[in-house]
Amino acid sequence: MTVTIKRAPKARFNWGKIATYVIVILVSLTMLAPFVWMLSASLKLNRDVFAFPIEWIPSEPRWRNYVDIWSKIPLGLFVYNTAKLTVIVTVLQLLTSSFAAYAFAKLRFPYRNALFLAYIATIAMPWQVYMVPQFLMMREFGLNNTHLALICLQAFTAFGVFLMRQFYMSIPDELCEAARIDGMSEYGIWRRIMLPLSMPALSTLTIFTFVNTWNDFLGPLIYLTRTELKTIQIGIRMFISQYSAEYGLIMAASVVALIPVLIVFLALQRFFVEGIASTGLKG
Amino acid sequence: MKWWLNLYFAEGPGIAKDLPRATGLRLVWQTIAREWWNLIILNVVFITASLPIVTIPAAYAAMVRVTATMVEDEPCEPWRDFREAFITLLLPSLSLSLLCAAMVGLGAAATRAYAQAATESLAFAVPLAIAAAFLGLVTLFTTFAFTLLATQRPLLPHLLKAAAIAVLVRPLPVLAALGANAALWVFHIAAYPSTILLAVLVNFSFGTLLITFATLATAQASLAYARSRNEEERIKTIPPIQTGATASN
Amino acid sequence: MAAISLRKLRKTFGELTVVHDIDLEIADKEFIILVGPSGCGKSTTLRMIAGLEDVSSGDLIIGDLIVNDVAAKDRDIAMVFQNYALYPHMTVYKNMAFGLELRRAPRDEVDRKVREAAEILDITYLLNRKPKALSGGQRQRVALGRAMVRSPEVFLLDEPLSNLDAKLRATMRAEITKLHRSLNATFIYVTHDQVEAMTMADRIVVMQDGHIQQVAKPQDLYDNPVNLFVASFIGAPQMNFYPVTIRETDAGFAVDFGGTLLPLPPRLTPENLAPYEGQEVTLGLRPEAFFERMTSEHDPDMFAQLDGVVDYAEPMGPEIHLNFAVQGHSTTARLSPRFAARPGDTVTLHVDMSMAHLFDPKSERSLMAGPAA
């Protein structure tokens, strides 16, 4: 018996795929447009910013904007303040989150799950609900108009604990048990076994925290009123005076404020994307 | 994050037991692939230990000791091993460095003087060549001497004799390693300041690793030769001919 | 000295009791294997000895000390885990040295011990590698090495071979036995694989549902199981069971298997049997109690014939496992490979009743063991 072997027909031109790509590209362009507009506006004179139709590439780019922002307001100081707050808060959050997460994931103590649930439930409470009483409390402590107030408030995060705990849960318990038999204390296990193994989770948390703290507007707005304490996000508002707003300069300063976030994101994004995928969160 | 955990916990392919040891550049590459993290730590530790200037020779010798462990594929802990070597080698390496610095300085001064003279009269070309050769040999001698001091702690006469023999026996790999070091630094300076992290993180330790590669086997063989007393023992110490910078004992 | 006593040891998780008041004496330097189906409490028992689980009640004694409240690291034990639990970010050397370094042992001593252990286990060439690259067998050796370097009095091994392939498992069984002899320490080994238990143990502890069923030397366990569970758990292929009735005849007691009278061995004394006269009991016959024909070595008084319909035959190489039905009861016999039978054939086999076991169907205990204490 002979069998005639036929070649399976080649896939036809895939119109569905093309349509998908076109839609995705259009959506991306829409998302990118504000950024491009910001970039182009940062190179324009104030009066040209809102000219219509939009001149995407300015015919006479005004690079001076990027020089003027540093002299018109103390932008250098603001960048320093923001960087200081962001770095301290990020480091503290990494420490406290992974530390608490280790206990919730690997130690047995009474009411562990109930406590964890209660802690996680605080994520659902919007900050706007309790920010006024919190502010009053901080003022009582004499922490109004200090960076310490913001650091104290932001050093702990239920979300970070959740993220780290999910990661630690996936590390086999035997590793901790082997370490216990080897003679390590729980602190030792955390520091010498868990921390080195949790780089991806820590990177993800770093991005979340860094971006959030860097871009935070409401917190500094409430707690920091003195100019020398302000962060970049509220400092930029100084370009808006009672009668006018320097939109070209505002856009230039915004571009500058965006750079560190971009760097951190690009450096750690591989872990970040995986992190979102693994916790089932949508970014 | 499953992929990350799999990276750690998934079963590996296993390691063949009697795999022949790689030689030459392949061994260099394997060592770097395995020890890159330790090299970074080592570099930072070296820079820190070098800050008081006078400790530079000891720091260098300690770094040679650690990289030698890496080359020999022995377990190493850069921080701890470096500290131990640094303390034990503090004084010996300082004295050795003074000796070598004197010789290198002499060579450099002579070369410079004859070079200036040679521009006026071609007759000085011959002493210039001699002085330059001396400078080169003394530099090689220094690298071998430090490798010996760091890895073997021999008696001074043995050390000097062995380093001298080593220079004559196999200078080319060391020249190549020194050349690679020079290239690394030229690149750093040319691209400064964007390469500043490179210098902080890898330049010193990576360069030293190359030098250790080039010197270790030859230095040890020469030392065994220098230490042996009679002709018969000497013949035994001569290793079989190898190609490239091998570092097996 | 590292004799271990479990006295009325109990473990409960909330409402659930996993280990029921077990008593066990383990002699110094003994190789003892806890065996049982999954969920029988063997691993929990081991983990209590290790100090990874709290003891709910009872006493756990190592040497001459009650260690219920002693931390795992202070019990002078080492444990090998099923999934090896090597620290993935440390080299093999560091994995092995870690326990000693934490105990502040001097550098050269640590180095000597690690290299000694590596030498014994033949993993010196792996010392500077990370676990990532190692195969399962190599990881297993490293895990053993990590336990060895601390030279503990007691080794606890929790199903250490279950992740290895069959061939490697056989090799490692031999190596672990050898290791036990050379290390001079007490070994407590948990497995669900009765082959491992039979081949390696000095004594086997069979557990089920949190109770110890029997503690005995491997051969004793095989020859004299105290109850139905042990009889069916130990031995592959499994023991065959048949409902029979005890009858007293002129020649003494015998069992009536669907009309066929089968003799009983003298091991089963009239005192054992008299109370069951006329009652139904369970007859247990191992696959090797069946023969194609009797030879001169056999005692004809102890032999009987059984007819069966062949279901299928499994050639194993040196022998054949013949599955057939005797009066509707599925039976496996171990026969010589030359025995030819096709499915559907009726075969007549000789049974050596001197190997027979009888069990009380209610208490499930062997009639030889007498009534339950």
mmCIF file with all atom_site columns, all heavy atoms in Angstrom, chain B residues 7 9-12 14-15 17 73-74 77 84, chain C residues 107 115 122 128-129 132-134 136 138-139:
data_model
loop_
_atom_site.group_PDB
_atom_site.id
_atom_site.type_symbol
_atom_site.label_atom_id
_atom_site.label_alt_id
_atom_site.label_comp_id
_atom_site.label_asym_id
_atom_site.label_entity_id
_atom_site.label_seq_id
_atom_site.pdbx_PDB_ins_code
_atom_site.Cartn_x
_atom_site.Cartn_y
_atom_site.Cartn_z
_atom_site.occupancy
_atom_site.B_iso_or_equiv
_atom_site.pdbx_formal_charge
_atom_site.auth_seq_id
_atom_site.auth_comp_id
_atom_site.auth_asym_id
_atom_site.auth_atom_id
_atom_site.pdbx_PDB_model_num
ATOM 1   N N   . LEU B 1 7   ? 15.744 28.598 38.167 1.00 0.00 ? 7   LEU B N   1
ATOM 2   C CA  . LEU B 1 7   ? 17.164 28.830 37.982 1.00 0.00 ? 7   LEU B CA  1
ATOM 3   C C   . LEU B 1 7   ? 17.943 28.254 39.162 1.00 0.00 ? 7   LEU B C   1
ATOM 4   O O   . LEU B 1 7   ? 19.027 27.712 39.034 1.00 0.00 ? 7   LEU B O   1
ATOM 5   C CB  . LEU B 1 7   ? 17.388 30.336 37.896 1.00 0.00 ? 7   LEU B CB  1
ATOM 6   C CG  . LEU B 1 7   ? 18.557 30.821 37.070 1.00 0.00 ? 7   LEU B CG  1
ATOM 7   C CD1 . LEU B 1 7   ? 18.308 30.492 35.626 1.00 0.00 ? 7   LEU B CD1 1
ATOM 8   C CD2 . LEU B 1 7   ? 18.697 32.319 37.254 1.00 0.00 ? 7   LEU B CD2 1
ATOM 9   N N   . PHE B 1 9   ? 16.516 25.998 41.708 1.00 0.00 ? 9   PHE B N   1
ATOM 10  C CA  . PHE B 1 9   ? 16.179 24.699 42.274 1.00 0.00 ? 9   PHE B CA  1
ATOM 11  C C   . PHE B 1 9   ? 16.036 23.586 41.241 1.00 0.00 ? 9   PHE B C   1
ATOM 12  O O   . PHE B 1 9   ? 16.044 22.431 41.605 1.00 0.00 ? 9   PHE B O   1
ATOM 13  C CB  . PHE B 1 9   ? 14.889 24.811 43.090 1.00 0.00 ? 9   PHE B CB  1
ATOM 14  C CG  . PHE B 1 9   ? 15.040 25.721 44.270 1.00 0.00 ? 9   PHE B CG  1
ATOM 15  C CD1 . PHE B 1 9   ? 14.414 26.951 44.304 1.00 0.00 ? 9   PHE B CD1 1
ATOM 16  C CD2 . PHE B 1 9   ? 15.837 25.352 45.331 1.00 0.00 ? 9   PHE B CD2 1
ATOM 17  C CE1 . PHE B 1 9   ? 14.573 27.799 45.381 1.00 0.00 ? 9   PHE B CE1 1
ATOM 18  C CE2 . PHE B 1 9   ? 16.004 26.201 46.408 1.00 0.00 ? 9   PHE B CE2 1
ATOM 19  C CZ  . PHE B 1 9   ? 15.361 27.424 46.441 1.00 0.00 ? 9   PHE B CZ  1
ATOM 20  N N   . ALA B 1 10  ? 15.853 23.950 39.959 1.00 0.00 ? 10  ALA B N   1
ATOM 21  C CA  . ALA B 1 10  ? 15.699 22.887 38.966 1.00 0.00 ? 10  ALA B CA  1
ATOM 22  C C   . ALA B 1 10  ? 16.972 22.063 38.892 1.00 0.00 ? 10  ALA B C   1
ATOM 23  O O   . ALA B 1 10  ? 18.077 22.577 39.106 1.00 0.00 ? 10  ALA B O   1
ATOM 24  C CB  . ALA B 1 10  ? 15.392 23.499 37.606 1.00 0.00 ? 10  ALA B CB  1
ATOM 25  N N   . GLU B 1 11  ? 16.792 20.797 38.613 1.00 0.00 ? 11  GLU B N   1
ATOM 26  C CA  . GLU B 1 11  ? 17.940 19.907 38.574 1.00 0.00 ? 11  GLU B CA  1
ATOM 27  C C   . GLU B 1 11  ? 18.835 20.263 37.405 1.00 0.00 ? 11  GLU B C   1
ATOM 28  O O   . GLU B 1 11  ? 18.360 20.497 36.298 1.00 0.00 ? 11  GLU B O   1
ATOM 29  C CB  . GLU B 1 11  ? 17.442 18.468 38.449 1.00 0.00 ? 11  GLU B CB  1
ATOM 30  C CG  . GLU B 1 11  ? 18.499 17.459 38.784 1.00 0.00 ? 11  GLU B CG  1
ATOM 31  C CD  . GLU B 1 11  ? 17.876 16.102 39.076 1.00 0.00 ? 11  GLU B CD  1
ATOM 32  O OE1 . GLU B 1 11  ? 17.087 16.007 40.032 1.00 0.00 ? 11  GLU B OE1 1
ATOM 33  O OE2 . GLU B 1 11  ? 18.176 15.165 38.345 1.00 0.00 ? 11  GLU B OE2 1
ATOM 34  N N   . GLY B 1 12  ? 20.114 20.299 37.643 1.00 0.00 ? 12  GLY B N   1
ATOM 35  C CA  . GLY B 1 12  ? 21.048 20.662 36.595 1.00 0.00 ? 12  GLY B CA  1
ATOM 36  C C   . GLY B 1 12  ? 21.465 19.454 35.779 1.00 0.00 ? 12  GLY B C   1
ATOM 37  O O   . GLY B 1 12  ? 21.046 18.334 36.062 1.00 0.00 ? 12  GLY B O   1
ATOM 38  N N   . GLY B 1 14  ? 24.293 18.129 35.671 1.00 0.00 ? 14  GLY B N   1
ATOM 39  C CA  . GLY B 1 14  ? 25.356 17.348 36.289 1.00 0.00 ? 14  GLY B CA  1
ATOM 40  C C   . GLY B 1 14  ? 26.703 17.757 35.724 1.00 0.00 ? 14  GLY B C   1
ATOM 41  O O   . GLY B 1 14  ? 26.790 18.392 34.682 1.00 0.00 ? 14  GLY B O   1
ATOM 42  N N   . ILE B 1 15  ? 27.765 17.409 36.452 1.00 0.00 ? 15  ILE B N   1
ATOM 43  C CA  . ILE B 1 15  ? 29.107 17.791 36.034 1.00 0.00 ? 15  ILE B CA  1
ATOM 44  C C   . ILE B 1 15  ? 29.914 16.513 35.870 1.00 0.00 ? 15  ILE B C   1
ATOM 45  O O   . ILE B 1 15  ? 29.956 15.690 36.781 1.00 0.00 ? 15  ILE B O   1
ATOM 46  C CB  . ILE B 1 15  ? 29.755 18.705 37.092 1.00 0.00 ? 15  ILE B CB  1
ATOM 47  C CG1 . ILE B 1 15  ? 28.990 20.021 37.168 1.00 0.00 ? 15  ILE B CG1 1
ATOM 48  C CG2 . ILE B 1 15  ? 31.208 18.951 36.767 1.00 0.00 ? 15  ILE B CG2 1
ATOM 49  C CD1 . ILE B 1 15  ? 29.318 20.853 38.369 1.00 0.00 ? 15  ILE B CD1 1
ATOM 50  N N   . LYS B 1 17  ? 32.830 13.982 35.882 1.00 0.00 ? 17  LYS B N   1
ATOM 51  C CA  . LYS B 1 17  ? 33.842 13.945 36.919 1.00 0.00 ? 17  LYS B CA  1
ATOM 52  C C   . LYS B 1 17  ? 35.244 14.126 36.362 1.00 0.00 ? 17  LYS B C   1
ATOM 53  O O   . LYS B 1 17  ? 36.053 14.854 36.906 1.00 0.00 ? 17  LYS B O   1
ATOM 54  C CB  . LYS B 1 17  ? 33.768 12.611 37.654 1.00 0.00 ? 17  LYS B CB  1
ATOM 55  C CG  . LYS B 1 17  ? 34.618 12.608 38.887 1.00 0.00 ? 17  LYS B CG  1
ATOM 56  C CD  . LYS B 1 17  ? 34.669 11.264 39.537 1.00 0.00 ? 17  LYS B CD  1
ATOM 57  C CE  . LYS B 1 17  ? 35.775 11.274 40.564 1.00 0.00 ? 17  LYS B CE  1
ATOM 58  N NZ  . LYS B 1 17  ? 36.078 9.939  41.022 1.00 0.00 ? 17  LYS B NZ  1
ATOM 59  N N   . ASP B 1 73  ? 40.743 27.014 40.903 1.00 0.00 ? 73  ASP B N   1
ATOM 60  C CA  . ASP B 1 73  ? 39.403 26.474 41.052 1.00 0.00 ? 73  ASP B CA  1
ATOM 61  C C   . ASP B 1 73  ? 39.190 25.909 42.458 1.00 0.00 ? 73  ASP B C   1
ATOM 62  O O   . ASP B 1 73  ? 38.614 24.849 42.639 1.00 0.00 ? 73  ASP B O   1
ATOM 63  C CB  . ASP B 1 73  ? 39.147 25.403 39.993 1.00 0.00 ? 73  ASP B CB  1
ATOM 64  C CG  . ASP B 1 73  ? 37.664 25.131 39.832 1.00 0.00 ? 73  ASP B CG  1
ATOM 65  O OD1 . ASP B 1 73  ? 36.866 25.802 40.511 1.00 0.00 ? 73  ASP B OD1 1
ATOM 66  O OD2 . ASP B 1 73  ? 37.305 24.255 39.046 1.00 0.00 ? 73  ASP B OD2 1
ATOM 67  N N   . GLU B 1 74  ? 39.721 26.601 43.422 1.00 0.00 ? 74  GLU B N   1
ATOM 68  C CA  . GLU B 1 74  ? 39.490 26.224 44.814 1.00 0.00 ? 74  GLU B CA  1
ATOM 69  C C   . GLU B 1 74  ? 38.415 27.158 45.381 1.00 0.00 ? 74  GLU B C   1
ATOM 70  O O   . GLU B 1 74  ? 38.259 28.272 44.905 1.00 0.00 ? 74  GLU B O   1
ATOM 71  C CB  . GLU B 1 74  ? 40.782 26.385 45.624 1.00 0.00 ? 74  GLU B CB  1
ATOM 72  C CG  . GLU B 1 74  ? 41.838 25.366 45.296 1.00 0.00 ? 74  GLU B CG  1
ATOM 73  C CD  . GLU B 1 74  ? 41.456 23.975 45.766 1.00 0.00 ? 74  GLU B CD  1
ATOM 74  O OE1 . GLU B 1 74  ? 40.856 23.862 46.854 1.00 0.00 ? 74  GLU B OE1 1
ATOM 75  O OE2 . GLU B 1 74  ? 41.710 23.009 45.028 1.00 0.00 ? 74  GLU B OE2 1
ATOM 76  N N   . GLU B 1 77  ? 36.674 32.774 49.425 1.00 0.00 ? 77  GLU B N   1
ATOM 77  C CA  . GLU B 1 77  ? 35.788 33.810 49.931 1.00 0.00 ? 77  GLU B CA  1
ATOM 78  C C   . GLU B 1 77  ? 36.570 35.100 49.932 1.00 0.00 ? 77  GLU B C   1
ATOM 79  O O   . GLU B 1 77  ? 37.416 35.312 50.798 1.00 0.00 ? 77  GLU B O   1
ATOM 80  C CB  . GLU B 1 77  ? 35.322 33.461 51.347 1.00 0.00 ? 77  GLU B CB  1
ATOM 81  C CG  . GLU B 1 77  ? 34.043 32.668 51.324 1.00 0.00 ? 77  GLU B CG  1
ATOM 82  C CD  . GLU B 1 77  ? 33.617 32.278 52.703 1.00 0.00 ? 77  GLU B CD  1
ATOM 83  O OE1 . GLU B 1 77  ? 33.288 33.179 53.485 1.00 0.00 ? 77  GLU B OE1 1
ATOM 84  O OE2 . GLU B 1 77  ? 33.663 31.077 53.000 1.00 0.00 ? 77  GLU B OE2 1
ATOM 85  N N   . GLU B 1 84  ? 42.972 37.939 55.469 1.00 0.00 ? 84  GLU B N   1
ATOM 86  C CA  . GLU B 1 84  ? 44.056 37.121 56.026 1.00 0.00 ? 84  GLU B CA  1
ATOM 87  C C   . GLU B 1 84  ? 45.367 37.360 55.300 1.00 0.00 ? 84  GLU B C   1
ATOM 88  O O   . GLU B 1 84  ? 46.417 37.595 55.921 1.00 0.00 ? 84  GLU B O   1
ATOM 89  C CB  . GLU B 1 84  ? 43.680 35.645 55.943 1.00 0.00 ? 84  GLU B CB  1
ATOM 90  C CG  . GLU B 1 84  ? 42.688 35.238 57.004 1.00 0.00 ? 84  GLU B CG  1
ATOM 91  C CD  . GLU B 1 84  ? 42.282 33.786 56.864 1.00 0.00 ? 84  GLU B CD  1
ATOM 92  O OE1 . GLU B 1 84  ? 42.872 33.085 56.012 1.00 0.00 ? 84  GLU B OE1 1
ATOM 93  O OE2 . GLU B 1 84  ? 41.380 33.378 57.603 1.00 0.00 ? 84  GLU B OE2 1
ATOM 94  N N   . ARG C 2 107 ? 39.159 27.412 61.155 1.00 0.00 ? 107 ARG C N   1
ATOM 95  C CA  . ARG C 2 107 ? 39.212 27.324 59.707 1.00 0.00 ? 107 ARG C CA  1
ATOM 96  C C   . ARG C 2 107 ? 39.787 26.017 59.190 1.00 0.00 ? 107 ARG C C   1
ATOM 97  O O   . ARG C 2 107 ? 39.208 25.341 58.342 1.00 0.00 ? 107 ARG C O   1
ATOM 98  C CB  . ARG C 2 107 ? 40.077 28.457 59.166 1.00 0.00 ? 107 ARG C CB  1
ATOM 99  C CG  . ARG C 2 107 ? 39.313 29.635 58.643 1.00 0.00 ? 107 ARG C CG  1
ATOM 100 C CD  . ARG C 2 107 ? 38.660 29.374 57.325 1.00 0.00 ? 107 ARG C CD  1
ATOM 101 N NE  . ARG C 2 107 ? 39.620 29.277 56.217 1.00 0.00 ? 107 ARG C NE  1
ATOM 102 C CZ  . ARG C 2 107 ? 40.364 30.289 55.791 1.00 0.00 ? 107 ARG C CZ  1
ATOM 103 N NH1 . ARG C 2 107 ? 40.295 31.457 56.370 1.00 0.00 ? 107 ARG C NH1 1
ATOM 104 N NH2 . ARG C 2 107 ? 41.177 30.140 54.781 1.00 0.00 ? 107 ARG C NH2 1
ATOM 105 N N   . ARG C 2 115 ? 36.892 18.445 53.249 1.00 0.00 ? 115 ARG C N   1
ATOM 106 C CA  . ARG C 2 115 ? 37.613 17.697 52.216 1.00 0.00 ? 115 ARG C CA  1
ATOM 107 C C   . ARG C 2 115 ? 37.565 16.200 52.481 1.00 0.00 ? 115 ARG C C   1
ATOM 108 O O   . ARG C 2 115 ? 37.471 15.394 51.544 1.00 0.00 ? 115 ARG C O   1
ATOM 109 C CB  . ARG C 2 115 ? 39.055 18.194 52.119 1.00 0.00 ? 115 ARG C CB  1
ATOM 110 C CG  . ARG C 2 115 ? 39.101 19.498 51.350 1.00 0.00 ? 115 ARG C CG  1
ATOM 111 C CD  . ARG C 2 115 ? 40.457 20.146 51.336 1.00 0.00 ? 115 ARG C CD  1
ATOM 112 N NE  . ARG C 2 115 ? 40.326 21.555 50.991 1.00 0.00 ? 115 ARG C NE  1
ATOM 113 C CZ  . ARG C 2 115 ? 40.129 22.000 49.756 1.00 0.00 ? 115 ARG C CZ  1
ATOM 114 N NH1 . ARG C 2 115 ? 40.053 21.155 48.743 1.00 0.00 ? 115 ARG C NH1 1
ATOM 115 N NH2 . ARG C 2 115 ? 39.996 23.292 49.526 1.00 0.00 ? 115 ARG C NH2 1
ATOM 116 N N   . ASP C 2 122 ? 33.264 11.084 47.148 1.00 0.00 ? 122 ASP C N   1
ATOM 117 C CA  . ASP C 2 122 ? 33.747 11.228 45.786 1.00 0.00 ? 122 ASP C CA  1
ATOM 118 C C   . ASP C 2 122 ? 33.161 12.458 45.101 1.00 0.00 ? 122 ASP C C   1
ATOM 119 O O   . ASP C 2 122 ? 32.673 12.398 43.970 1.00 0.00 ? 122 ASP C O   1
ATOM 120 C CB  . ASP C 2 122 ? 33.397 9.961  44.984 1.00 0.00 ? 122 ASP C CB  1
ATOM 121 C CG  . ASP C 2 122 ? 34.245 9.854  43.741 1.00 0.00 ? 122 ASP C CG  1
ATOM 122 O OD1 . ASP C 2 122 ? 35.266 10.560 43.689 1.00 0.00 ? 122 ASP C OD1 1
ATOM 123 O OD2 . ASP C 2 122 ? 33.875 9.103  42.834 1.00 0.00 ? 122 ASP C OD2 1
ATOM 124 N N   . ASN C 2 128 ? 33.948 23.466 44.227 1.00 0.00 ? 128 ASN C N   1
ATOM 125 C CA  . ASN C 2 128 ? 33.847 24.890 43.900 1.00 0.00 ? 128 ASN C CA  1
ATOM 126 C C   . ASN C 2 128 ? 32.700 25.186 42.945 1.00 0.00 ? 128 ASN C C   1
ATOM 127 O O   . ASN C 2 128 ? 32.687 26.190 42.269 1.00 0.00 ? 128 ASN C O   1
ATOM 128 C CB  . ASN C 2 128 ? 35.165 25.385 43.297 1.00 0.00 ? 128 ASN C CB  1
ATOM 129 C CG  . ASN C 2 128 ? 35.318 26.880 43.446 1.00 0.00 ? 128 ASN C CG  1
ATOM 130 O OD1 . ASN C 2 128 ? 34.722 27.469 44.352 1.00 0.00 ? 128 ASN C OD1 1
ATOM 131 N ND2 . ASN C 2 128 ? 36.063 27.502 42.568 1.00 0.00 ? 128 ASN C ND2 1
ATOM 132 N N   . ARG C 2 129 ? 31.715 24.277 42.881 1.00 0.00 ? 129 ARG C N   1
ATOM 133 C CA  . ARG C 2 129 ? 30.573 24.497 41.990 1.00 0.00 ? 129 ARG C CA  1
ATOM 134 C C   . ARG C 2 129 ? 29.341 24.857 42.810 1.00 0.00 ? 129 ARG C C   1
ATOM 135 O O   . ARG C 2 129 ? 29.256 24.558 43.992 1.00 0.00 ? 129 ARG C O   1
ATOM 136 C CB  . ARG C 2 129 ? 30.288 23.237 41.178 1.00 0.00 ? 129 ARG C CB  1
ATOM 137 C CG  . ARG C 2 129 ? 31.420 22.812 40.284 1.00 0.00 ? 129 ARG C CG  1
ATOM 138 C CD  . ARG C 2 129 ? 31.573 23.750 39.099 1.00 0.00 ? 129 ARG C CD  1
ATOM 139 N NE  . ARG C 2 129 ? 32.760 23.426 38.312 1.00 0.00 ? 129 ARG C NE  1
ATOM 140 C CZ  . ARG C 2 129 ? 33.970 23.922 38.554 1.00 0.00 ? 129 ARG C CZ  1
ATOM 141 N NH1 . ARG C 2 129 ? 34.151 24.765 39.545 1.00 0.00 ? 129 ARG C NH1 1
ATOM 142 N NH2 . ARG C 2 129 ? 34.993 23.593 37.798 1.00 0.00 ? 129 ARG C NH2 1
ATOM 143 N N   . LYS C 2 132 ? 23.289 24.592 41.383 1.00 0.00 ? 132 LYS C N   1
ATOM 144 C CA  . LYS C 2 132 ? 22.527 24.775 40.150 1.00 0.00 ? 132 LYS C CA  1
ATOM 145 C C   . LYS C 2 132 ? 22.917 23.766 39.067 1.00 0.00 ? 132 LYS C C   1
ATOM 146 O O   . LYS C 2 132 ? 22.063 23.224 38.380 1.00 0.00 ? 132 LYS C O   1
ATOM 147 C CB  . LYS C 2 132 ? 22.776 26.196 39.646 1.00 0.00 ? 132 LYS C CB  1
ATOM 148 C CG  . LYS C 2 132 ? 21.925 26.602 38.494 1.00 0.00 ? 132 LYS C CG  1
ATOM 149 C CD  . LYS C 2 132 ? 22.065 28.092 38.236 1.00 0.00 ? 132 LYS C CD  1
ATOM 150 C CE  . LYS C 2 132 ? 23.381 28.433 37.603 1.00 0.00 ? 132 LYS C CE  1
ATOM 151 N NZ  . LYS C 2 132 ? 23.518 29.860 37.329 1.00 0.00 ? 132 LYS C NZ  1
ATOM 152 N N   . ALA C 2 133 ? 24.221 23.556 38.920 1.00 0.00 ? 133 ALA C N   1
ATOM 153 C CA  . ALA C 2 133 ? 24.690 22.730 37.802 1.00 0.00 ? 133 ALA C CA  1
ATOM 154 C C   . ALA C 2 133 ? 24.632 21.233 38.124 1.00 0.00 ? 133 ALA C C   1
ATOM 155 O O   . ALA C 2 133 ? 24.771 20.417 37.237 1.00 0.00 ? 133 ALA C O   1
ATOM 156 C CB  . ALA C 2 133 ? 26.115 23.128 37.434 1.00 0.00 ? 133 ALA C CB  1
ATOM 157 N N   . LEU C 2 134 ? 24.436 20.879 39.392 1.00 0.00 ? 134 LEU C N   1
ATOM 158 C CA  . LEU C 2 134 ? 24.571 19.467 39.771 1.00 0.00 ? 134 LEU C CA  1
ATOM 159 C C   . LEU C 2 134 ? 23.339 18.659 39.394 1.00 0.00 ? 134 LEU C C   1
ATOM 160 O O   . LEU C 2 134 ? 22.218 19.135 39.414 1.00 0.00 ? 134 LEU C O   1
ATOM 161 C CB  . LEU C 2 134 ? 24.783 19.349 41.281 1.00 0.00 ? 134 LEU C CB  1
ATOM 162 C CG  . LEU C 2 134 ? 25.902 20.168 41.895 1.00 0.00 ? 134 LEU C CG  1
ATOM 163 C CD1 . LEU C 2 134 ? 26.153 19.706 43.311 1.00 0.00 ? 134 LEU C CD1 1
ATOM 164 C CD2 . LEU C 2 134 ? 27.159 20.050 41.085 1.00 0.00 ? 134 LEU C CD2 1
ATOM 165 N N   . GLY C 2 136 ? 20.757 15.325 40.109 1.00 0.00 ? 136 GLY C N   1
ATOM 166 C CA  . GLY C 2 136 ? 20.111 14.863 41.337 1.00 0.00 ? 136 GLY C CA  1
ATOM 167 C C   . GLY C 2 136 ? 21.033 14.007 42.192 1.00 0.00 ? 136 GLY C C   1
ATOM 168 O O   . GLY C 2 136 ? 21.130 14.192 43.403 1.00 0.00 ? 136 GLY C O   1
ATOM 169 N N   . GLN C 2 138 ? 24.276 13.950 42.260 1.00 0.00 ? 138 GLN C N   1
ATOM 170 C CA  . GLN C 2 138 ? 25.364 14.748 42.839 1.00 0.00 ? 138 GLN C CA  1
ATOM 171 C C   . GLN C 2 138 ? 24.850 15.597 43.998 1.00 0.00 ? 138 GLN C C   1
ATOM 172 O O   . GLN C 2 138 ? 25.506 15.718 45.025 1.00 0.00 ? 138 GLN C O   1
ATOM 173 C CB  . GLN C 2 138 ? 25.976 15.632 41.742 1.00 0.00 ? 138 GLN C CB  1
ATOM 174 C CG  . GLN C 2 138 ? 26.770 14.823 40.734 1.00 0.00 ? 138 GLN C CG  1
ATOM 175 C CD  . GLN C 2 138 ? 27.199 15.627 39.524 1.00 0.00 ? 138 GLN C CD  1
ATOM 176 O OE1 . GLN C 2 138 ? 26.543 16.586 39.135 1.00 0.00 ? 138 GLN C OE1 1
ATOM 177 N NE2 . GLN C 2 138 ? 28.289 15.230 38.919 1.00 0.00 ? 138 GLN C NE2 1
ATOM 178 N N   . ARG C 2 139 ? 23.647 16.140 43.833 1.00 0.00 ? 139 ARG C N   1
ATOM 179 C CA  . ARG C 2 139 ? 23.064 16.933 44.922 1.00 0.00 ? 139 ARG C CA  1
ATOM 180 C C   . ARG C 2 139 ? 22.872 16.053 46.145 1.00 0.00 ? 139 ARG C C   1
ATOM 181 O O   . ARG C 2 139 ? 23.081 16.476 47.286 1.00 0.00 ? 139 ARG C O   1
ATOM 182 C CB  . ARG C 2 139 ? 21.721 17.496 44.495 1.00 0.00 ? 139 ARG C CB  1
ATOM 183 C CG  . ARG C 2 139 ? 21.852 18.612 43.505 1.00 0.00 ? 139 ARG C CG  1
ATOM 184 C CD  . ARG C 2 139 ? 20.508 19.093 43.065 1.00 0.00 ? 139 ARG C CD  1
ATOM 185 N NE  . ARG C 2 139 ? 20.702 20.032 41.967 1.00 0.00 ? 139 ARG C NE  1
ATOM 186 C CZ  . ARG C 2 139 ? 19.818 20.931 41.596 1.00 0.00 ? 139 ARG C CZ  1
ATOM 187 N NH1 . ARG C 2 139 ? 18.670 21.018 42.205 1.00 0.00 ? 139 ARG C NH1 1
ATOM 188 N NH2 . ARG C 2 139 ? 20.078 21.747 40.613 1.00 0.00 ? 139 ARG C NH2 1
#
